[in-house]
Amino acid sequence: MSISESYPPAFRSVVNDGDPLATAEEEVEPVLVQDEDIQIPVIDLERLDKEILREACKEWGIFRLVNHGVPLALTSRLQEISGLLLSLPFETKRELFAAVKSPLSYFWGTPALNPSGDALKRGSQASNVHMLEGFNVPLSKLPTFISCDDDHKPKLESFRLLIEEYGRHITRIAVSLFEDIAQTLNLELSGNRRSEYLSESTGLIRVYRYPGSSDKAAGEALGMEVHTDSSVISILKEDETGGLEIMKGEEWFCVKAVANTLIVNLGDMMQAISDDEYKSVTHRVKKKNREKERHSVCYFVFPKRDCVIKSSNYKPFTYSEFEAQVQADVQSLGTKIGLPRFSPNSPFFN
């Protein structure tokens, strides 16, 4: 089997022929990508400095986490098994995850998924297909065993066990970081408030693969569009290929991939909870090493669905209302609007 057979059919012209799916019709971006990698703040989880953390959240909305306690052997093995599953033929992946009696799902061509993990149908104004595929895993619904045919059961069972262990580590980190961030905001977390703002039961992991291509023009089309995360906190583990870019000021900068570190970025819910004191970082993925695949694992965690977010900058809303609005915008407009929908000072206010 050639590697292109493992990709969705819509990707294969790019992988094989270097015929990008979107170049002429792509929106021209008014900002430039800087050639040099930018040094984002570094947070040491073992010796956390709250002043550095406050500065990172306020000025950047993103930081690199070191001494995080996630075993290197675990992340390496998870990348290996994920890679094996993603390298299966496209039709096999579709059939396998459709047959697996669990909430695990396989997606491709878009990062916009509904709560069930299925791809959202994007509006006619959407940009062309995203060159990515992956698995969506809601941690609280992870099954105790995988039911599938014998040929792939060992790989899927290994994947389940690794995701389960990785999820325990990454959830611990997310809770610890949120509590530290809340202290820098003097945010009251008494009673059940912490678990309402950051609900462990909402945590999910997405495993991504971005294809490689030998064509220079196609390389610029590969990746994920400009966006902010809807989460409270997102935690990324990427391979050495890199490709993450963030907007700071009005310019784009590359974030260098560094072994055995995690990238933590704040999402829209953290921005709203902080009353805009902290920022949800705008980012995208554009692989610079065009010929090499990019693999990454990202954890997202959200407030409870009925948690009311109150802020002087937004009308009160629950996370379920925010999520529903994002999905409606993606389906009708082809893109997420996000927090401006809830800001009375925004032209997008709904």
Side-chain angles (χ1 to χ4, degrees):
M1 183 192 80
S2 68
I3 189 170
S4 65
E5 292 178 43
S6 71
Y7 294 128
F11 295 8
R12 294 174 191 170
S13 62
V14 176
V15 174
N16 291 331
D17 306 320
D19 178 21
L21 300 175
T23 51
E25 296 183 0
E26 279 193 39
E27 183 178 341
V28 177
E29 296 168 353
V31 291
L32 299 175
V33 177
Q34 303 300 300
D35 291 333
E36 296 183 1
D37 296 324
I38 195 169
Q39 298 298 319
I40 61 175
V42 176
I43 300 296
D44 187 330
L45 195 58
E46 289 185 353
R47 294 178 290 276
L48 192 141
D49 185 316
K50 287 192 174 62
E51 285 303 315
I52 296 177
L53 180 63
R54 177 186 286 109
E55 183 74 9
C57 294
K58 184 174 183 178
E59 300 298 331
W60 295 79
I62 188 170
F63 53 86
R64 189 180 306 281
L65 196 66
V66 299
N67 291 324
H68 46 71
V70 182
L72 178 60
L74 171 61
T75 55
S76 298
R77 182 63 176 155
L78 177 57
Q79 180 177 327
E80 178 187 354
I81 291 296
S82 300
L84 288 174
L85 286 172
L86 286 164
S87 296
L88 292 172
F90 170 68
E91 291 299 335
T92 301
K93 285 180 288 194
R94 281 216 310 178
E95 294 168 3
L96 180 62
F97 277 80
V100 170
K101 295 178 174 59
S102 82
L104 277 67
S105 59
Y106 168 63
F107 62 91
W108 70 94
T110 176
L113 310 180
N114 65 23
S116 299
D118 300 319
L120 285 174
K121 185 177 180 181
R122 296 161 68 90
S124 59
Q125 298 179 44
S127 58
N128 289 281
V129 65
H130 292 72
M131 299 296 290
L132 60 83
E133 62 173 336
F135 303 128
N136 182 72
V137 184
L139 292 173
S140 66
K141 299 177 182 178
L142 200 61
T144 55
F145 68 95
I146 296 289
S147 176
C148 66
D149 64 79
D150 292 340
D151 289 344
H152 303 296
K153 189 169 184 177
K155 292 189 190 76
L156 271 176
E157 181 61 14
S158 293
F159 179 71
R160 183 191 70 80
L161 291 171
L162 290 164
I163 281 285
E164 188 175 54
E165 183 180 355
Y166 184 76
R168 285 195 294 268
H169 282 284
I170 219 72
T171 301
R172 162 186 59 82
I173 291 170
V175 170
S176 176
L177 282 174
F178 180 75
E179 291 175 349
D180 289 327
I181 291 170
Q183 288 181 25
T184 68
L185 290 166
N186 295 316
L187 190 65
E188 179 58 51
L189 294 181
S190 60
N192 296 324
R193 202 57 181 157
R194 196 280 295 163
S195 62
E196 292 176 354
Y197 279 147
L198 185 141
S199 175
E200 296 171 49
S201 65
T202 67
L204 63 87
I205 289 176
R206 287 183 185 158
V207 179
Y208 298 99
R209 178 172 77 152
Y210 301 78
S213 172
S214 60
D215 183 81
K216 291 183 179 181
E220 289 301 306
L222 306 183
M224 192 181 292
E225 68 182 355
V226 178
H227 68 287
T228 59
D229 292 344
S230 296
S231 59
V232 179
I233 290 174
S234 305
I235 304 178
L236 173 71
K237 178 71 179 78
E238 61 177 347
D239 65 13
E240 70 281 0
T241 307
L244 175 65
E245 297 179 0
I246 63 169
M247 181 181 282
K248 187 161 175 60
E250 294 299 318
E251 295 181 316
W252 286 102
F253 294 90
C254 305
V255 178
K256 185 178 181 180
V258 178
N260 202 28
T261 67
L262 300 171
I263 300 293
V264 179
N265 70 266
L266 307 185
D268 298 337
M269 294 303 97
M270 190 72 248
Q271 179 170 322
I273 289 168
S274 73
D275 209 11
D276 283 5
E277 185 171 343
Y278 293 164
K279 61 184 295 185
S280 178
V281 67
T282 301
H283 57 289
R284 67 185 181 189
V285 175
K286 268 194 169 183
K287 292 198 302 101
K288 293 307 172 186
N289 187 338
R290 289 180 290 266
E291 297 185 9
K292 190 172 183 179
E293 288 185 344
R294 178 183 190 261
H295 291 257
S296 64
V297 178
C298 197
Y299 167 86
F300 305 89
V301 66
F302 308 88
K304 281 187 176 179
R305 297 185 61 79
D306 60 355
C307 174
V308 179
I309 308 296
K310 296 180 180 179
S311 164
S312 65
N313 294 304
Y314 308 101
K315 69 177 183 180
F317 63 89
T318 64
Y319 179 69
S320 62
E321 290 171 336
F322 181 86
E323 181 182 57
Q325 183 64 62
V326 168
Q327 291 183 31
D329 286 335
V330 169
Q331 291 175 311
S332 62
L333 304 176
T335 190
K336 168 187 169 181
I337 303 298
L339 285 174
R341 283 294 196 199
F342 298 85
S343 173
N345 298 321
S346 168
F348 295 105
F349 181 62
N350 193 0

